[in-house]
Amino acid sequence: MLESDVLPGGTGIKAAVPDYSLATKTGTAEKIGDSGKCDGGYINYTAGIAPASHPEVALMMINYPPAGDHFGGSGAAPMFSNIIEPVLKHMNIAPDVIYSASSDKY
């Protein structure tokens, strides 16, 4: 189920890394202010492992987004991808994907 989050239609599609399978979960939470009530701010996250077929790396990206872009899939997911892709390449982890979300091909 977590692998489908990074495929077309999933909330984590912006976390995708070409040629690597990922298993991710995105989320959003409202921040609590000093009054103990929601203060209008948000925290969003994307957590995942890569490659999903044989996990080598785990990463959780947390973002305090600006107003209007407060979902994990649109805020933290692109940052997750920007970090995890060079890490996978630096670690010489071979691509493992049979489906590439970036090319929409099997």
Side-chain angles (χ1 to χ4, degrees):
M1 289 175 58
L2 294 176
E3 289 181 71
S4 66
D5 189 47
V6 190
L7 298 176
T11 59
I13 188 70
K14 292 182 179 180
V17 174
D19 302 322
Y20 289 92
S21 65
L22 302 175
T24 67
K25 174 66 180 107
T26 61
T28 305
E30 290 187 70
K31 292 180 4 182
I32 303 297
D34 293 335
S35 67
K37 297 181 180 180
C38 295
D39 67 2
Y42 292 89
I43 297 170
N44 65 44
Y45 72 88
T46 298
I49 57 172
S53 64
H54 53 75
E56 298 282 339
V57 180
L59 174 67
M60 182 168 188
M61 188 70 238
I62 299 174
N63 184 26
Y64 297 90
D69 189 22
H70 61 269
F71 298 106
S74 58
M79 289 187 279
F80 181 96
S81 179
N82 289 341
I83 292 169
I84 203 83
E85 183 173 17
V87 167
L88 291 167
K89 292 180 181 187
H90 175 76
M91 293 178 66
N92 292 317
I93 297 172
D96 71 330
V97 80
I98 56 171
Y99 176 85
S100 177
S102 63
S103 66
D104 207 28
K105 297 178 185 174
Y106 284 93

